[in-house]
Amino acid sequence: QDGDCSVGIAMYTLGAPYFAAQAETARQVAEEAGCEVRVADGQNDMVKQIGDVEDMVAAGIDILILNPRDAQGLVASANMASAQGVHVIAIDSTLDPSADFITQIQSSNTANGELVGQWLANELNGEPARIALISGSQGNLVGRERRLGVLRGLMDAQLTSQGDADIEVLGQGWGNWATEGGLTAMEDLLTAHPDINVVLGENDSMVLGARSALQAAGRLDEVILVAAADGQKEALQLIKDGEYGATGLNNPNEIARRAVEIGLQAMNDELPEGLSKLTYTDPAAITQENVDQYLDPESVF
Amino acid sequence: MSDRTAGIGEPAATEEKAANRKGPGFSRLFRTYGTLTIFILLVLLASTQSDAFLTERNATNLLRQMSGVGIMAIGMLFVILTRGIDLSVGSIAALGAVTSAMFVQDMSMPMAVASVVLIGAACGAVSGFLIAFLRLPAFVITLAMMTGARGLALILSNGQPVMPGTSGQGLQNFGTSFTLGLPNPAWLMLSLFAIAFLILNFSRFGRLVKAIGSNEEAVRLSGISVPWYVASVYVISGALAAVAGLLVTARSGVGSAQVGVAAELDVIAAVVIGGASLMGGRGDVVNTFIGVMILGVIGNIMNLAGVPGYHQQVYLGVIIVVAVVLQNSAQLFRR
Amino acid sequence: MSDRTAGIGEPAATEEKAANRKGPGFSRLFRTYGTLTIFILLVLLASTQSDAFLTERNATNLLRQMSGVGIMAIGMLFVILTRGIDLSVGSIAALGAVTSAMFVQDMSMPMAVASVVLIGAACGAVSGFLIAFLRLPAFVITLAMMTGARGLALILSNGQPVMPGTSGQGLQNFGTSFTLGLPNPAWLMLSLFAIAFLILNFSRFGRLVKAIGSNEEAVRLSGISVPWYVASVYVISGALAAVAGLLVTARSGVGSAQVGVAAELDVIAAVVIGGASLMGGRGDVVNTFIGVMILGVIGNIMNLAGVPGYHQQVYLGVIIVVAVVLQNSAQLFRR
Amino acid sequence: MTALIELDDITKTFAGIHALSGVNFTLHAGEVHALCGENGAGKSTLIRVLGGEMRPDGGTIRIDGEAVRLSGPMDAIYRGVSIIHQEMALAPDLTVAENIFLGELPARIGWSELNRRAGELIDRLGFDISPRALVADLSVAHQQVVEIAKALSRKARVIVFDEPTAVLSIGDANRLLEIIRGLRSDGVGIVYISHRLDEIFAISDRVSVLKDGRNAGEVKAEDANVETLIRMMVGRPLSQLFGDKPETDIGKEILRVENLTLPNGVAGISFSLRRGEIVGLGGLVGSGRTEVARAIFGADAISSGTMTLGGAAYRPRSPTQAVKNGVNLVPEDRKGQGIVLDMGINKNMTMANINAVARMGFFQPRKERGVVGALIKSLQIKLGAPSDPVSSLSGGNQQKVVLAKWFHSGGDVVILDEPTRGVDVGAKTEIYSLIHKMAAAGKAVLVISSEHAELFGLCDRVLVMGEGRLRGELGPDEFTEERLLTLSIGGGDRQGREAMA
Ligand SMILES: Nc1ncnc2c1ncn2[C@@H]1O[C@H](COP(=O)(O)OP(=O)(O)OP(=O)(O)O)[C@@H](O)[C@H]1O
Ligand SMILES: Nc1ncnc2c1ncn2[C@@H]1O[C@H](COP(=O)(O)OP(=O)(O)OP(=O)(O)O)[C@@H](O)[C@H]1O
Ligand SMILES: O[C@@H]1[C@H](O)[C@H](O)CO[C@H]1O
Ligand SMILES: [Mg+2]
Ligand SMILES: [Mg+2]
């Protein structure tokens, strides 16, 4: 049945572990189903990704798994692919719902943020939040949703429990989604604002880096570490060991697996009735209490 | 002294030179057609790798995909001819992408386009002034502009993609439709290449730009205001980069400040694969176009043939080296 | 010439000039101390912006944060002295980061470090060979290496962070601890700068590297095998870039293929802010170090003062231009 | 006595061109053997072969009677052969001492020792140059001295000078000849290449002439004179080197310079030029002639002073303004400043007056072809095709292209800085006749030259500079080397004679 099924996986970047894992899982699942697979690395460039999609469609794919660089920018590409009879599934980053695709699968940054924020409010237990914020990259919408999600959740939880909110974001550093970026950003934040008690990062990698900085400064004990997203296994291990507060569940493998499965269903005309255009994975704040449910030392990510 | 015309002070060498010297003749030939040869080899190779390659649809895709890099390569060629370099093109493209999405909301299309081009030209003028009149190193000045223009694009857009809204429909229509079987962005790129060809080969400006790259002092001492010419090439490069950014907005329907990150590297690579010398004075429009297409085909065929992402980068590196080796093979063999 | 023996170890100083000709004398003075002046101005400015700036802790941070860029800048200085350029340092650093995390798992520390350095040197050797022996343009060759080495790092790590595990604890201990009040990475950078100083000023190798950038033909005609020297600087640059990558792993505890994206631009900017000329032959170790620190202080103070992200980029661009203008002001005023 | 160097039947071809065919050349210890010939005759190629920089296609090189195959420049240096190149081979960013010992720097450099040794060598040559000075800061003459010191440092038994005086003024050239005499008496064998025949007679024991890559003869210097040498080089007698000065009407004053003072020490320069006049500007190196020329041309800044052009105030801020006003300059450094080497001959010729062959910024190819064709014809430039790069021409013809450029631009004042530097005798006579043509066309011509014969043969009067001042003017009846040197050195006649000796 080789050749009957061809899957294109167009990632806007493979330059971060999360995406590499996502693409890898999608590839595995599709190959197990007997499909031929091609993976494209958009290298963070919207124009390159548009070209990648064009090339894949020209090469004759049946299913397109698209993690779009830009919600609007890839609309035309998705429409074009669908018009050519390709079954398009969007994953992770948002694709504008006006586009022609089957469904979008992603975690809800708002829902995750709400849960992580709540957990943090509990942990602070009335203490004011003095936050060092470590953001991903400038102009990134996902990052914005994540930080606002957690801050919103924190604010709401404080209001609910105390009737007021005492939250101060002392500084925002930029860590480029990466461990070493989080490390450097944290060093400067720590120097400028020695009196923080929370580190909030937009993903685990950066918080892991920030943790190294805190460790080197001997400040690990006084600071709560939380990430808005991912559930990277190194972070989960630390959560289990009680050395890392919480993170939002954003499992790349789960998202990829479901996307490919839906794509195959669409190809075989077996789509479930009433599939909505937006499929959120279940939100969760991963904490020491529930970490065993998510920790898999063998997983890629 | 009746026979002064007959070879006084002139070793019979020069006539002989033109007639007999095979080395430089061959080298000249390869310098002119080397890029084309590489391109043809690559196309042949590509067509064995995927049936989809030699299709009209794919050719169309390729032209459209490379239109931005192609347009920036034109400006870069002018810059490189003067011995300069422009690292800011990607960022100026981002500025162009963002501002075009903003301007079409409140201006007529021609006004919006003109304003975008003007902004790009203004960025180029700032770099050009510093480089040409204050004689500061182009690498660092355009590096600073690269940082600055990107920051500006982010500030203007507030880091959010700018939606041109319904008023931007005209722009998007232009960007996504075809004329006479070719995508409009491809037409735009091809016409700009044609204009550049005319300028570089038949105009005073083009000739002097080339001469400046070869020997700036000689041009200056010929009574020509070199700094104006040098500054101009950065203005051109900036304006064209803004156009490239506008095209991205036209194609994608959104003005993003993330456009063109690291584009300068692709653009410079294309120009050099097209045989231009970073030491100035050497390079031409047709080969630059072919250089752009070579770069495009490399990426295109790897996608078609399903080369996995990370491996693509390694192959890309290897193919660039092979292209440059071939490009310089005439020179290599001569030694 | 009575005082000929005075001023031991001062290759650059000429009393003759300082005494007799004011223009160039002043220019030389600024060429030597200009970078320092810029640095001092910047430090003064910075200390008015944030109380945290002039603290020991911040100075320590700064040195540690710049250790990677600093180490790569040493290699880049050698490359730039020969009129070359190395765009691949960031990618080779990534390769170094990934391989060091891999190697410490199965090798003794010294073996692992040696292997990492060797891999960086090998990448440099490939570029160096192509540039020096086949005389291909450094810009494009190292651009290809930039793409290729990054691809390799990604393939080796599968795009995932490589955890050195418990066997990597030694490395991480080194990377995160202090010796005599200074972080170890800072010590490493400072010692490498010191070694580079000795090599560049007191060794045949260093002087010939400088001479090659100044007039390659002269060196060749002195019977020296220029290509070996040119190739060597890329080997050095590659090896040092790998060390910089290893340091990142040592500091952060994971080996990531994302290390050093666009680092080449920072590194080159630092070297040029340090007064080196991209036309070769001009540049020295001390000023390069100051150039690295200038770049570090710019970013550091903006972070401390809480300049919002997008604006930082615009300021960075402006400050780089100002630094280069000051750096070249002697030359500007003279005209 | 076996010859120090014996080149036997040397052949060298470049892609079809016979640069050398069967050339023989010998050199003994303690002699100066001059090598003459037109541009492109093969002189430089022959010494590259001798210096191990090029491998000959055929023939034998014998050093001390032993046949050798030189593997590279180092091999030649090791065997005692040092070459001082036409294009100077120094690294400007390094110090004098480093440059002297460039090929043999110790792995670990001890600066005091290196500087001491360099100082000794420079002292031995009788110059006062700091070993720690950067070469970039030295005058051309001093750079030449560094080159010689470099050769001495290698204990060279053979030193080859390829046109060493082309960039030197007569005073420095004379000091150089003095050094060479010293080397000769120390037993060093010298090969001396020059286009200045007077020097050849002043210094050499034997003269070999190359023509079209072959031996055209060898004579003892004492048995030869200028005519015989020229005949050997050119293949026929050259009756008049400077040609007939056509009767031109010296017209109205066109350029007047008053009290011109420059930032670099040139001060109080006043003179005027009239239409149809050829005025010389003589003096020693560094006397500021080039700088005066560049200032008039707007290429360098002026501190004070006034100029008038055709009666109107003239103060150019750039060469562009000078050219607009009809002031032209043929710069001294042809390759660096005069032409764009890798651009077409035709394109170089029209560069200074593009508007004459272009409309609305675009070239009119037919018009340009016409202009170029006429220029090639009237200047008798020998070339393959007009679109060939200038680099394909011999030095003399390259120089004519620069002249053609200004011929075409049609200015009123033409300044020629060392117009015949590095140009062979045949081409020189043609350039002289061009200069006459310019004057005949009513231009005012100012010729800077370090060859006194040239100034005297060509000019109506000669201005003499020394140490940045205009020291005086010589009329045709005062045209003697002695007068010129006296003025330029600024002392009494005794000093002048010394410099001559
Ligand atoms: N590397 C080369 N490649 C090709 N041709 C060359 C090369 N070097 C010299 N030639 C040719 O060989 C011939 C001899 O040149 P050479 O430089 O020896 O002349 P020359 O006698 O030194 O002239 P000049 O007086 O102008 O210095 C010329 O026709 C020249 O064009
Ligand atoms: N000994 C020296 N040291 C440093 N610079 C010097 C020296 N001699 C000359 N120069 C520089 O070069 C300039 C030489 O002047 P210029 O070239 O105008 O002289 P010239 O009379 O035209 O000599 P030439 O015959 O070399 O053309 C001086 O003004 C000075 O700037
Ligand atoms: O979810 C992903 C990962 O967190 C990645 O590390 C950065 O971008 C986000 O979109
Ligand atoms: Mg010669
Ligand atoms: Mg002069």
Side-chain angles (χ1 to χ4, degrees):
Chain A
Q1 77 166 65
D2 215 326
D4 292 0
C5 158
S6 167
V7 178
I9 302 164
M11 305 296 293
Y12 78 75
T13 178
L14 288 175
Y18 177 90
F19 300 103
Q22 198 158 56
E24 182 55 22
T25 306
R27 193 180 62 75
Q28 276 172 16
V29 176
E31 275 175 357
E32 276 161 22
C35 298
E36 172 202 70
V37 181
R38 56 192 76 223
V39 180
D41 177 0
Q43 292 178 351
N44 251 314
D45 180 349
M46 175 170 75
V47 180
K48 164 119 177 23
Q49 194 181 25
I50 293 173
D52 288 342
V53 173
E54 286 171 352
D55 289 347
M56 286 178 160
V57 173
I61 53 167
D62 306 304
I63 298 170
L64 173 65
I65 310 292
L66 175 64
N67 191 341
R69 179 70 184 86
D70 187 279
Q72 285 297 319
L74 270 297
V75 167
S77 305
N79 290 349
M80 180 274 296
S82 294
Q84 297 291 320
V86 178
H87 306 282
V88 181
I89 325 283
I91 56 169
D92 187 42
S93 304
T94 306
L95 181 61
D96 194 274
S98 70
D100 188 2
F101 59 93
I102 296 168
T103 189
Q104 161 100 48
I105 304 171
Q106 63 185 185
S107 62
S108 166
N109 289 310
T110 314
N112 273 338
E114 202 100 2
L115 294 173
V116 172
Q118 252 164 34
W119 178 88
L120 182 56
N122 271 341
E123 194 69 13
L124 286 168
N125 196 17
E127 206 185 311
R130 299 277 171 269
I131 301 176
L133 178 62
I134 301 185
S135 291
S137 60
Q138 296 175 12
N140 183 288
L141 292 183
V142 174
R144 184 163 171 269
E145 276 177 22
R146 288 183 184 171
R147 60 182 172 259
L148 294 182
V150 175
L151 291 173
R152 209 171 95 128
L154 175 61
M155 163 100 61
D156 196 46
Q158 283 195 349
L159 287 176
T160 312
S161 60
Q162 309 158 210
D164 68 354
D166 192 351
I167 300 167
E168 198 177 352
V169 179
L170 291 170
Q172 182 182 26
W174 300 91
N176 261 317
W177 304 113
T179 307
E180 61 281 5
L183 169 61
T184 317
M186 193 66 232
E187 285 174 345
D188 282 346
L189 285 169
L190 209 51
T191 306
H193 313 288
D195 49 342
I196 56 161
N197 60 0
V198 174
V199 169
L200 168 59
E202 288 167 12
N203 75 359
D204 285 326
S205 296
M206 294 190 292
V207 176
L208 289 168
R211 187 174 174 277
S212 298
L214 289 167
Q215 195 170 28
R219 295 284 312 275
L220 215 44
D221 296 341
E222 309 145 39
V223 179
I224 305 173
L225 303 173
V226 290
D230 283 357
Q232 190 177 337
K233 66 182 176 197
E234 289 79 19
L236 299 191
Q237 186 60 55
L238 288 170
I239 290 176
K240 187 180 164 86
D241 300 345
E243 294 178 29
Y244 191 110
T247 185
L249 173 61
N250 178 35
N251 189 331
N253 312 321
E254 179 60 20
I255 291 173
R257 176 180 314 279
R258 284 179 66 179
V260 175
E261 281 164 7
I262 294 177
L264 290 167
Q265 286 169 353
M267 196 178 75
N268 301 328
D269 254 337
E270 295 164 357
L271 273 185
E273 286 295 307
L275 177 69
S276 97
K277 204 152 182 194
L278 182 56
T279 310
Y280 279 133
T281 54
D282 296 332
I286 307 176
T287 63
Q288 202 169 13
E289 280 159 34
N290 62 2
V291 65
D292 288 329
Q293 215 176 311
Y294 304 100
L295 177 59
D296 170 10
E298 296 308 308
S299 86
V300 206
F301 181 65
Chain B
M1 274 204 203
S2 51
D3 59 346
R4 191 187 281 158
T5 39
I8 293 185
E10 184 38 40
T14 38
E15 287 97 322
E16 237 175 50
K17 220 174 255 178
N20 301 351
R21 268 200 198 177
K22 276 181 205 125
F26 172 72
S27 135
R28 180 95 55 86
L29 209 77
F30 203 87
R31 206 190 284 171
T32 315
Y33 298 111
T35 317
L36 189 61
T37 314
I38 297 168
F39 180 66
I40 291 171
L41 289 177
L42 206 60
V43 165
L44 290 178
L45 181 79
S47 54
T48 66
Q49 297 299 304
S50 163
D51 293 341
F53 182 73
L54 277 184
T55 59
E56 192 191 315
R57 150 180 226 125
N58 192 50
T60 308
N61 277 350
L62 196 58
L63 277 173
R64 188 173 39 208
Q65 286 166 18
M66 296 313 286
S67 56
V69 170
I71 289 171
M72 291 189 273
I74 295 172
M76 190 68 79
L77 171 63
F78 279 89
V79 170
I80 285 179
L81 278 174
T82 67
R83 271 184 153 207
I85 197 147
D86 188 353
L87 300 180
S88 66
V89 289
S91 296
I92 296 181
L95 202 53
V98 167
T99 52
S100 55
M102 290 166 61
F103 293 166
V104 286
Q105 297 175 20
D106 328 297
M107 297 181 191
S108 69
M109 257 279 270
M111 266 302 286
V113 172
S115 310
V116 169
V117 172
L118 213 68
I119 285 178
C123 290
V126 171
S127 305
F129 170 76
L130 293 167
I131 294 162
F133 289 90
L134 302 192
R135 324 211 98 230
L136 298 173
F139 195 100
V140 196
I141 294 301
T142 60
L143 178 63
M145 179 55 75
M146 168 181 173
T147 305
R150 174 84 52 194
L152 220 60
L154 283 164
I155 292 174
L156 283 178
S157 65
N158 214 349
Q160 311 294 318
V162 181
M163 304 295 163
T166 47
S167 42
Q169 203 52 50
L171 189 63
Q172 203 173 349
N173 286 347
F174 168 80
T176 50
S177 41
F178 287 65
T179 305
L180 300 176
L182 272 189
N184 287 334
W187 275 120
L188 183 59
M189 168 181 70
L190 292 173
S191 348
L192 288 170
F193 266 108
I195 294 171
F197 180 82
L198 294 178
I199 290 180
L200 202 57
N201 291 294
F202 299 107
S203 82
R204 172 196 164 99
F205 179 81
R207 184 181 289 181
L208 289 177
V209 161
K210 251 184 125 155
I212 285 168
S214 289
N215 187 346
E216 179 176 328
E217 190 61 8
V219 177
R220 190 173 89 91
L221 292 180
S222 295
I224 287 147
S225 297
V226 170
W228 287 103
Y229 286 83
V230 173
S232 302
V233 297
Y234 291 91
V235 173
I236 293 174
S237 178
L240 289 176
V243 170
L246 179 138
L247 260 194
V248 175
T249 298
R251 283 183 65 197
S252 66
V254 49
S256 156
Q258 318 286 348
V259 161
V261 173
E264 65 282 356
L265 296 177
D266 278 349
V267 172
I268 295 169
V271 173
V272 175
I273 290 174
S277 159
L278 291 170
M279 302 313 289
R282 225 185 76 197
D284 69 81
V285 173
V286 174
N287 282 316
T288 298
F289 175 71
I290 303 176
V292 170
M293 287 299 120
I294 288 175
L295 209 65
V297 167
I298 297 175
N300 176 253
I301 186 58
M302 289 198 293
N303 275 343
L304 291 186
V307 176
Y310 300 153
H311 293 83
Q312 286 202 7
Q313 297 195 40
V314 178
Y315 289 136
L316 177 62
V318 173
I319 297 177
I320 289 179
V321 170
V322 171
V324 182
V325 169
L326 286 177
Q327 185 65 259
N328 289 272
S329 58
Q331 170 206 320
L332 293 176
F333 292 148
R334 215 180 342 149
R335 299 186 327 141
Chain C
M1 260 191 267
S2 50
D3 59 344
R4 186 180 291 149
T5 40
I8 297 172
E10 287 223 284
T14 56
E15 302 89 317
E16 203 181 66
K17 270 204 62 196
N20 300 348
R21 291 202 280 153
K22 282 190 192 116
F26 172 71
S27 136
R28 175 84 60 83
L29 208 76
F30 204 86
R31 207 190 283 169
T32 313
Y33 299 111
T35 317
L36 188 61
T37 314
I38 297 168
F39 180 67
I40 291 170
L41 289 177
L42 207 60
V43 165
L44 290 178
L45 181 79
S47 54
T48 66
Q49 297 299 303
S50 163
D51 293 340
F53 182 73
L54 277 185
T55 58
E56 191 193 317
R57 144 175 234 133
N58 191 50
T60 307
N61 272 351
L62 195 59
L63 277 173
R64 187 172 40 204
Q65 284 171 11
M66 295 313 285
S67 58
V69 169
I71 289 171
M72 291 190 273
I74 296 171
M76 190 67 79
L77 172 64
F78 280 90
V79 170
I80 285 179
L81 278 174
T82 67
R83 273 188 149 201
I85 197 149
D86 187 353
L87 301 180
S88 65
V89 288
S91 296
I92 295 180
L95 202 52
V98 167
T99 51
S100 54
M102 290 165 60
F103 292 166
V104 286
Q105 297 175 22
D106 326 300
M107 298 182 191
S108 69
M109 258 280 269
M111 265 303 285
V113 171
S115 309
V116 169
V117 172
L118 212 69
I119 285 179
C123 291
V126 171
S127 304
F129 170 76
L130 292 166
I131 294 162
F133 289 91
L134 301 192
R135 322 209 101 234
L136 298 172
F139 195 100
V140 196
I141 294 301
T142 59
L143 177 63
M145 178 56 73
M146 168 182 173
T147 306
R150 174 81 55 193
L152 220 58
L154 285 163
I155 292 173
L156 283 178
S157 67
N158 218 347
Q160 299 300 319
V162 180
M163 299 296 160
T166 46
S167 43
Q169 203 51 49
L171 190 61
Q172 202 172 349
N173 286 346
F174 168 80
T176 50
S177 42
F178 288 64
T179 305
L180 300 177
L182 272 189
N184 288 333
W187 276 120
L188 183 58
M189 168 179 71
L190 292 172
S191 355
L192 288 170
F193 266 107
I195 293 172
F197 180 82
L198 294 179
I199 289 180
L200 203 56
N201 292 297
F202 296 98
S203 81
R204 172 173 57 210
F205 178 82
R207 301 318 288 172
L208 288 179
V209 161
K210 220 177 156 183
I212 286 168
S214 191
N215 184 353
E216 183 175 327
E217 190 62 9
V219 180
R220 201 178 68 80
L221 291 177
S222 296
I224 286 148
S225 177
V226 170
W228 285 104
Y229 286 83
V230 173
S232 304
V233 298
Y234 291 91
V235 173
I236 293 174
S237 178
L240 289 176
V243 170
L246 178 139
L247 262 194
V248 174
T249 298
R251 285 186 61 201
S252 67
V254 298
S256 155
Q258 277 79 52
V259 161
V261 173
E264 66 282 357
L265 296 177
D266 279 350
V267 172
I268 295 168
V271 174
V272 175
I273 290 174
S277 159
L278 291 169
M279 302 314 288
R282 229 184 73 195
D284 68 80
V285 172
V286 175
N287 281 315
T288 298
F289 175 71
I290 303 175
V292 170
M293 287 298 120
I294 288 176
L295 210 66
V297 168
I298 297 176
N300 176 255
I301 186 59
M302 290 199 293
N303 279 344
L304 291 187
V307 176
Y310 307 151
H311 293 84
Q312 285 203 5
Q313 298 196 37
V314 178
Y315 289 136
L316 177 62
V318 173
I319 297 177
I320 290 178
V321 170
V322 171
V324 183
V325 169
L326 286 177
Q327 185 65 259
N328 288 271
S329 59
Q331 169 205 324
L332 293 175
F333 293 147
R334 221 186 329 157
R335 298 188 327 140
Chain D
M1 163 174 121
T2 51
L4 202 48
I5 296 289
E6 235 174 310
L7 300 180
D8 193 15
D9 200 23
I10 301 290
T11 337
K12 178 77 194 173
T13 24
F14 295 108
I17 288 204
H18 296 279
L20 298 173
S21 2
V23 174
N24 300 315
F25 186 87
T26 57
L27 179 71
H28 295 285
E31 79 162 342
V32 177
H33 190 162
L35 197 52
C36 298
E38 296 175 304
N39 292 125
K43 306 179 295 291
S44 297
T45 307
L46 186 67
I47 62 154
R48 285 208 182 94
V49 167
L50 172 59
E53 291 160 35
M54 279 178 182
R55 207 156 285 170
D57 300 337
T60 326
I61 302 169
R62 265 186 278 272
I63 299 181
D64 296 325
E66 179 198 347
V68 294
R69 277 182 68 95
L70 297 173
S71 62
M74 207 56 211
D75 194 9
I77 289 167
Y78 182 73
R79 294 171 194 272
V81 178
S82 270
I83 294 186
I84 293 173
H85 281 274
Q86 204 164 359
E87 258 91 53
M88 224 147 337
L90 296 173
D93 296 298
L94 267 55
T95 67
V96 167
E98 288 178 280
N99 268 286
I100 291 176
F101 298 109
L102 193 59
E104 49 200 298
L105 289 172
R108 267 182 57 192
I109 295 176
W111 283 103
S112 53
E113 169 69 4
L114 199 70
N115 288 333
R116 191 187 55 72
R117 282 170 56 208
E120 277 172 16
L121 283 169
I122 297 167
D123 280 348
R124 192 175 138 198
L125 294 172
F127 277 81
D128 185 21
I129 306 171
S130 163
R132 271 173 271 120
L134 285 191
V135 164
D137 298 326
L138 298 185
S139 67
V140 180
H142 282 180
Q143 290 180 6
Q144 189 81 253
V145 173
V146 175
E147 285 271 27
I148 297 169
K150 190 168 161 180
L152 288 181
S153 80
R154 295 160 170 170
K155 312 232 173 344
R157 295 180 299 140
V158 175
I159 301 182
V160 182
F161 292 87
D162 193 357
E163 297 197 45
T165 55
V167 287
L168 298 187
S169 73
I170 195 112
D172 284 303
N174 285 330
R175 290 180 76 179
L176 176 69
L177 296 189
E178 215 33 67
I179 294 175
I180 292 176
R181 288 193 187 101
L183 293 171
R184 171 171 60 187
S185 54
D186 290 348
V188 178
I190 311 276
V191 181
Y192 192 86
I193 300 176
S194 176
H195 288 292
R196 295 185 181 175
L197 299 184
D198 49 342
E199 272 172 24
I200 302 261
F201 287 106
I203 189 82
S204 55
D205 304 304
R206 277 194 293 165
V207 186
S208 278
V209 176
L210 288 186
K211 180 164 171 56
D212 297 343
R214 297 171 192 281
N215 286 101
E218 183 192 305
V219 288
K220 281 216 160 88
E222 61 210 42
D223 301 341
N225 58 27
V226 173
E227 283 75 48
T228 52
L229 268 193
I230 289 179
R231 187 200 296 265
M232 284 162 73
M233 286 165 64
V234 182
R236 57 188 176 72
L238 205 59
S239 51
Q240 278 177 294
L241 194 55
F242 295 101
D244 287 321
K245 199 174 290 180
E247 271 313 306
T248 49
D249 298 329
I250 302 216
K252 285 202 306 199
E253 175 184 293
I254 168 93
L255 175 74
R256 168 171 289 277
V257 175
E258 270 171 302
N259 259 317
L260 184 71
T261 300
L262 309 178
N264 43 35
V266 172
I269 308 290
S270 304
F271 65 92
S272 67
L273 302 178
R274 287 169 292 170
R275 286 187 179 279
E277 193 180 32
I278 303 176
V279 178
L281 187 56
L284 300 182
V285 83
S287 58
R289 299 164 301 168
T290 295
E291 312 212 336
V292 168
R294 287 175 60 90
I296 297 174
F297 188 59
D300 291 334
I302 293 170
S303 306
S304 67
T306 57
M307 291 188 274
T308 54
L309 191 67
Y314 167 71
R315 178 134 195 197
R317 284 178 206 291
S318 68
T320 315
Q321 288 179 9
V323 172
K324 271 201 191 113
N325 284 291
V327 176
N328 303 334
L329 172 74
V330 173
E332 61 181 333
D333 173 10
R334 176 171 66 227
K335 285 187 179 154
Q337 307 177 331
I339 41 177
V340 183
L341 264 184
D342 48 12
M343 209 162 79
I345 296 160
N346 49 357
K347 295 179 181 175
N348 269 284
M349 282 181 174
T350 54
M351 189 181 296
N353 191 8
I354 288 179
N355 290 339
V357 293
R359 229 175 50 203
M360 310 201 7
F362 281 82
F363 286 96
Q364 300 175 284
R366 183 171 304 167
K367 205 163 177 182
E368 186 171 27
R369 270 200 300 277
V371 166
V372 168
L375 284 168
I376 291 172
K377 209 164 155 209
S378 79
L379 277 75
Q380 302 175 0
I381 300 174
K382 273 140 226 115
L383 43 70
S387 59
D388 286 351
V390 179
S391 55
S392 69
L393 299 180
S394 76
N397 281 300
Q398 288 181 3
Q399 186 70 13
K400 285 196 220 166
V401 173
V402 188
L403 293 170
K405 179 161 97 178
W406 296 113
F407 234 63
H408 170 55
S409 98
D412 298 318
V413 176
V414 181
I415 306 171
L416 304 154
D417 195 353
E418 306 284 3
T420 63
R421 174 177 290 173
V423 161
D424 68 46
V425 280
K428 268 182 188 169
T429 60
E430 295 186 28
I431 288 171
Y432 296 145
S433 88
L434 281 174
I435 294 173
H436 289 313
K437 272 190 198 168
M438 288 180 168
K443 299 172 192 253
V445 183
L446 182 68
V447 179
I448 300 175
S449 175
S450 301
E451 276 191 74
H452 297 168
E454 184 167 288
L455 289 175
F456 297 152
L458 200 58
C459 302
D460 299 306
R461 57 193 167 98
V462 174
L463 308 167
V464 183
M465 283 188 68
E467 291 173 3
R469 303 288 187 284
L470 200 54
R471 289 254 171 80
E473 179 178 330
L474 305 176
D477 48 340
E478 301 167 290
F479 280 0
T480 66
E481 304 235 345
E482 226 173 311
R483 288 284 296 145
L484 201 153
L485 270 175
T486 310
L487 277 180
S488 55
I489 290 166
D493 276 7
R494 202 182 52 81
Q495 259 179 300
R497 275 178 208 286
E498 265 176 13
M500 272 296 289

